[in-house]
Amino acid sequence: MLDFHHYLPMFFEGLRELDEPYKFIADKALDDLLDKCPHKVLPVLPQLIIPIKLALNTKIPEVIVTTLKKLQKLVKCGNAVAEALVPYYRQILPIFNVFKSKRINLGDQIYYGQQRNENISDLIQETLELFETYGGEDAFINIKYMIPTYESCMF
């Protein structure tokens, strides 16, 4: 039996890694754990907040993109997980507010990162919409408190 209280926070801490193979191992291990055992995530959720916050606060675009994708996967692994995440918005969302308006303006050039879903601003918007959709009735109020420019996707 795999100890989620030990491994899940450790792999979320691994999201800050920039060196291969550590980055790859953390990424794939999180994918496997969240896909195969979504019912075991809820009890470990409070232990995940600090590693998620530290990963977002690195302000390294590559790390933020990976963390946002894992947050989306975390929210989708069960409705109870998204609702349990609402009280922790005050720790997670401040960095969203910093990068929400960082759009890439290339003029008439092509941005190929769109194909790989690497635009931080778009990822933040998608993540906030998932938080609101799966987070229950208090999610929008808490998101709006932390990110005043956010507009609801539900209405």
Side-chain angles (χ1 to χ4, degrees), residues 19 21 25 47 49 68 76 93 99 118 126 131 135 140:
D19 300 329
I25 291 170
Q47 296 175 350
I49 300 306
L68 288 171
K76 288 179 184 176
L93 296 183
F99 285 95
E118 292 179 349
E126 288 173 20
F131 281 177
F140 174 71

Side-chain angles (χ1 to χ4, degrees), residues 12-155:
F12 266 99
E13 285 182 19
L15 292 176
R16 292 185 289 166
E17 288 292 334
L18 296 174
D19 300 329
E20 299 291 346
Y22 311 113
K23 178 176 137 182
F24 174 79
I25 291 170
D27 186 38
K28 295 307 170 198
L30 279 173
D31 284 344
D32 289 343
L33 290 175
L34 294 175
D35 286 341
K36 306 293 187 232
C37 301
H39 58 281
K40 293 186 176 184
V41 173
L42 188 59
V44 186
L45 191 65
Q47 296 175 350
L48 303 180
I49 300 306
I50 291 175
I52 290 170
K53 181 181 175 183
L54 290 174
L56 291 171
N57 285 337
T58 61
K59 297 183 181 174
I60 301 170
E62 184 179 348
V63 173
I64 293 174
V65 165
T66 307
T67 306
L68 288 171
K69 289 179 181 178
K70 297 309 170 200
L71 271 172
Q72 289 180 3
K73 188 167 256 197
L74 183 70
V75 167
K76 288 179 184 176
C77 76
N79 284 341
V81 173
E83 291 175 13
L85 201 57
V86 172
Y88 301 107
Y89 284 176
R90 290 179 187 241
Q91 286 134 20
I92 296 173
L93 296 183
I95 198 70
F96 283 35
N97 209 10
V98 173
F99 285 95
K100 188 175 186 308
S101 61
K102 300 277 185 190
R103 300 216 176 256
I104 297 172
N105 184 4
L106 299 176
D108 62 346
Q109 296 176 340
I110 297 173
Y111 177 62
Y112 291 101
Q114 289 176 329
Q115 294 173 328
R116 295 184 303 272
N117 201 13
E118 292 179 349
N119 188 347
I120 293 177
S121 180
D122 292 343
L123 269 174
I124 287 174
Q125 185 65 32
E126 288 173 20
T127 307
L128 290 172
E129 288 174 2
L130 284 172
F131 281 177
E132 182 184 0
T133 304
Y134 291 99
E137 58 189 44
D138 293 334
F140 174 71
I141 296 165
N142 286 292
I143 293 170
K144 189 70 171 174
Y145 179 75
M146 295 304 296
I147 304 174
T149 58
Y150 177 73
E151 295 180 14
S152 177
C153 66
M154 303 290 276
F155 304 112

Side-chain angles (χ1 to χ4, degrees), residues 1-8 11 33 37 40:
M1 204 74 194
L2 192 62
D3 183 15
F4 265 60
H5 289 280
H6 177 72
Y7 288 108
L8 201 58
F11 290 131
L33 290 175
C37 301
K40 293 186 176 184

